[in-house]
Amino acid sequence: MGGVSNASQSPLPPLPASDRPDVAARLRDALLAASFTADGLLELLGAPAYAALARSETVPALRATRGDTPLEMLVRLFLLQQPVPHARVAEVLPVDACLDSGWLARTGGQELTATVDVRPYGGPGGEDWFIVSDLGCAVGGAGGIGRNEEGVVLGVGGASTTLAGITVRTPVAAALDLGTGSGIQALHAAQHATRVVATDLNPRALHITALTLALSGTAAAELREGSLFAPVRGDETYDLIVSNPPFVISPGARLTYRDGGMGGDDLCRTLVQEAGERLNKGGFAQFLANWQHVEGEDWQDRLRSWVPRGCDAWIVQREVQDVHQYAELWLRDAGDHQGDPAEYQARYDAWLDEFEARKVKAVGFGWITLRKTGAAVPSLTVEEWPHPVEQPLGDTIRAHFDRLDHLRDRDDAALLEGHFRLAAEIVQEQVGLPGAEDPEHVVLRQNRGMRRATRVDTVGAGFAGVCDGTMSAGRILDAIAQLIGEDPVLLRDRTPAQIRLLVEQGFLEPVS
C-alpha cells in the first residue's frame, strides 16, 4: 500500500540518493557476488529461520548469521539492522561510494549501519531483485522505526505478493501502478510493459521505488506524486492498471499507508469507478480492496454498482471478518494493543462507532479485475471463493475473460456447434452411499488455478469426460441421448446452460 502517515513523530532518516545509478549498479553486483539473493538467503538460514523472518521474528536469523562470511554480514547489515565493522564491510561492498551516496551510515565507533532495509526477492522468471523499504519495515526486518512513523514506506507483504500473482502478464505498451509504495508492482510491470508510470501520495515512496528499480537492475519508471488518478495527465490511457491501495476501512486516516482517508469503502469504490476511463480497449485494471457488508444490502449488488460502464468485471471475495475481528486486526497492526489500555479501548470504540453509524456488520476482502470491452451487455461475475488457489493466477484470469468473450458471441445453437476439450488436471469425484448402484451426485474438481469444484449431473459428467476437441458439443449430446434413451432434442434444449457454466468456470476450454 502507498501513502503517508498522519502520525507526528521524529523525522525519518535520510534515504540513499536516487540519482546515482552507478552506485546502485556497483552495490547490486556486490550483493549478487555474495549470494545475497532469495535462494542464497534460504540456503543460509534454513527453512525455519527463513519462515520466521516472514513473521518478523529475527532471533533465528540472528543465530544463523553468527559467522563471518560475506553473506552473513550482509544479512545482519541490510535485513537485521545490526552494525558491522567498517573494515569488514569494505571487503564486500564499495564502501566509500555507499557512504557517499547514503546507502550506509557511520555509527559513533568504527562500525557502519544500513540506512534502508534491502530484501532479496525472486522474480517470476528467476530474476534476482531487491526491494528497498524503511528500516524495520521489510517483511523480515527487525524492529527498527516501527510502522507509525510519518511517511514510512513498507516492504513486501502478503497483499503485495497476492496482487503481483493475480496480475495479467501480457506484453503491453503502458502500465500504471497507483500507490506504488516500495515499487514491487512497478518492478513486475517493467518486465512486460514498454512504459511504466508509478504514483504515490508519499514522495518518500517514490524515492524508494526509484531505489528498488535501480538496485534490481530494471529500467526506471516515470514517478509522479499525487492521490489516486490525480497524477494521470490529460487523456492518458493504459493497457494495465494495478493498485494495492490503502484500503483499510477505519475512522479517519491515522495511518494513510493503509487507511483510505475517505468514508467507509469510498476510496476503493472511487478507484474502481474511475479506472474505466483510463483503460485502453482490452486493457486490465486489477486491485486489492476492502468493502462493507451493510445491513439490509446485498454485498454483491454493492460491488456490481462500482463497475464502470464498458468494462467486464470479475470480483472475488476471499475473506470476510465481522467488525470486531476487523477492528482488532488493524489495531494490532498499528501496535495499539501494546500501548495504553485506555487509549486502545478508545480507539476500539471509535472503530465500532464508525461501523455502527454506517450499519456495517462485516468487511470483505478480495480481488477486483476489470477489462475494458465496450460491450453493450457487460459480464459481471461477483463471487465468494475463500478456498486455496494456485498462484500465480494471471494466466487463469486472462483465460477467464477470453472464455467470457467466446460465450458472449454465441447463442445456444452456435455453442452446440462448437468444440471443447477438458482442461488439464480435472478429476471426477462420485459421492454416494457405499454399495449404492448410482452416486448421489458427481463433482468435477480442478487441481490447478482457482481449484474450483462444481457439481454436475450424469449428463454433464459424461459430456465433460468425452470432450477432447474432436466432436462438436451437439454430436456428443446426441450420442449421450442415444446411450441413456432420452430425446436428443430435449437434451440439446436443457444442457447448454450447464455447458456454459463449465466453460465459464474453466472446466472446459473452447477449441478453435
Side-chain angles (χ1 to χ4, degrees):
M1 301 181 190
V4 294
S5 166
N6 291 332
S8 56
Q9 299 183 15
S10 57
L12 291 168
L15 293 171
S18 60
D19 59 351
R20 295 290 304 274
D22 57 322
V23 178
R26 292 175 62 192
L27 177 56
R28 172 179 170 79
D29 289 344
L31 297 178
L32 294 177
S35 297
F36 187 65
T37 63
D39 289 341
L41 206 61
L42 179 59
E43 183 176 351
L44 169 68
L45 301 180
Y50 190 81
L53 273 182
R55 302 189 300 270
S56 296
E57 295 290 348
T58 59
V59 172
L62 286 167
R63 291 174 61 86
T65 55
R66 290 180 292 191
D68 199 35
T69 66
L71 179 55
E72 288 170 298
M73 182 273 291
L74 291 174
V75 172
R76 292 198 300 272
L77 185 66
F78 285 115
L79 272 181
L80 303 177
Q81 282 88 65
Q82 301 296 303
V84 176
H86 183 290
R88 186 72 187 97
V89 177
E91 295 173 5
V92 180
L93 302 180
V95 67
D96 290 337
C98 287
L99 282 167
D100 180 59
S101 60
W103 287 95
L104 300 175
R106 303 179 191 274
T107 66
Q110 296 298 312
E111 293 182 318
L112 303 179
T113 59
T115 58
V116 287
D117 264 330
V118 175
R119 177 191 174 187
Y121 181 89
E127 302 92 345
D128 289 315
W129 292 340
F130 300 97
I131 309 301
V132 180
S133 63
D134 273 312
L135 291 173
C137 292
V139 172
I145 57 178
R147 291 189 168 190
N148 291 337
E149 196 78 22
E150 183 177 357
V152 70
V153 179
L154 306 187
V156 177
S160 302
T161 55
T162 293
L163 179 58
I166 68 172
T167 300
V168 175
R169 301 293 176 193
T170 53
V172 296
L176 173 64
D177 175 17
L178 287 177
T180 187
S182 60
I184 178 61
Q185 309 306 329
L187 181 57
H188 277 278
Q191 311 311 304
H192 61 102
T194 303
R195 169 173 167 256
V196 177
V197 175
T199 73
D200 206 287
L201 186 64
N202 182 3
R204 189 176 180 89
L206 298 176
H207 190 133
I208 282 183
T209 291
L211 298 176
T212 289
L213 296 175
L215 196 58
S216 297
T218 297
E222 295 180 37
L223 305 176
R224 301 180 189 172
E225 183 179 345
S227 179
L228 298 180
F229 287 97
V232 179
R233 299 166 185 161
D235 58 355
E236 280 184 341
T237 54
Y238 297 86
D239 307 296
L240 174 67
I241 299 172
V242 293
S243 183
N244 175 22
F247 53 66
V248 178
I249 299 169
S250 60
R254 185 165 63 100
L255 301 173
T256 54
Y257 71 80
R258 65 163 210 198
D259 300 333
M262 296 185 184
D265 51 17
D266 283 354
L267 182 137
C268 291
R269 175 185 55 79
T270 301
L271 185 63
V272 173
Q273 289 180 335
E274 293 183 357
E277 64 185 24
R278 293 299 181 177
L279 277 177
N280 293 323
K281 188 173 182 180
F284 286 90
Q286 299 186 264
F287 313 107
L288 300 185
N290 276 183
W291 44 79
Q292 298 173 151
H293 286 228
V294 179
E295 186 178 342
E297 177 184 88
D298 187 303
W299 68 270
Q300 293 177 318
D301 288 343
R302 181 183 191 84
L303 289 172
R304 288 188 187 97
S305 74
W306 291 8
V307 178
R309 181 175 300 177
C311 289
D312 289 346
W314 185 13
I315 302 174
V316 182
Q317 181 167 271
R318 295 287 290 158
E319 184 179 1
V320 181
Q321 291 185 322
D322 67 48
V323 293
H324 303 89
Q325 293 173 311
Y326 190 80
E328 291 162 12
L329 169 66
W330 295 109
L331 287 167
R332 287 194 300 271
D333 173 80
D336 292 330
H337 62 305
Q338 298 174 334
D340 177 49
E343 187 173 348
Y344 174 81
Q345 181 176 337
R347 285 180 173 161
Y348 199 149
D349 274 333
W351 284 70
L352 297 184
D353 288 343
E354 179 81 4
F355 287 134
E356 186 176 323
R358 295 179 177 277
K359 298 184 178 180
V360 176
K361 57 184 179 178
V363 177
F365 167 82
W367 320 325
I368 297 177
T369 299
L370 307 177
R371 187 189 56 165
K372 186 73 169 285
T373 64
V377 181
S379 171
L380 306 182
T381 302
V382 184
E383 63 176 323
E384 186 165 18
W385 189 253
H387 310 293
V389 299
E390 181 190 43
Q391 284 274 35
L393 277 170
D395 287 346
T396 298
I397 290 174
R398 178 185 51 78
H400 167 86
F401 286 95
D402 289 344
R403 294 192 302 272
L404 290 182
D405 283 343
H406 182 89
L407 294 173
R408 178 162 39 210
D409 294 340
R410 288 163 175 80
D411 60 16
D412 286 354
L415 186 75
L416 293 180
E417 291 175 2
H419 293 238
F420 302 91
R421 75 163 62 91
L422 189 66
E425 298 193 38
I426 303 292
V427 297
Q428 176 178 304
E429 301 172 357
Q430 298 188 162
V431 181
L433 294 174
E437 184 175 347
D438 297 312
E440 293 178 15
H441 59 264
V442 178
V443 173
L444 300 182
R445 187 178 300 278
Q446 301 168 346
N447 285 316
R448 304 298 301 272
M450 291 293 287
R451 293 178 174 164
R452 294 185 185 278
T454 191
R455 182 184 295 192
V456 293
D457 60 20
T458 53
V459 171
F463 179 88
V466 174
C467 282
D468 62 2
T470 60
M471 294 174 62
S472 71
R475 288 188 58 195
I476 293 174
L477 289 181
D478 291 344
I480 292 175
Q482 184 175 8
L483 184 65
I484 65 177
E486 185 168 338
D487 185 332
V489 175
L490 293 178
L491 193 62
R492 279 174 171 254
D493 283 345
R494 72 176 176 85
T495 307
Q498 188 169 193
I499 296 174
R500 287 183 183 276
L501 180 64
L502 291 175
V503 173
E504 181 179 335
Q505 294 190 342
F507 291 93
L508 296 178
E509 299 172 344
V511 177
S512 301

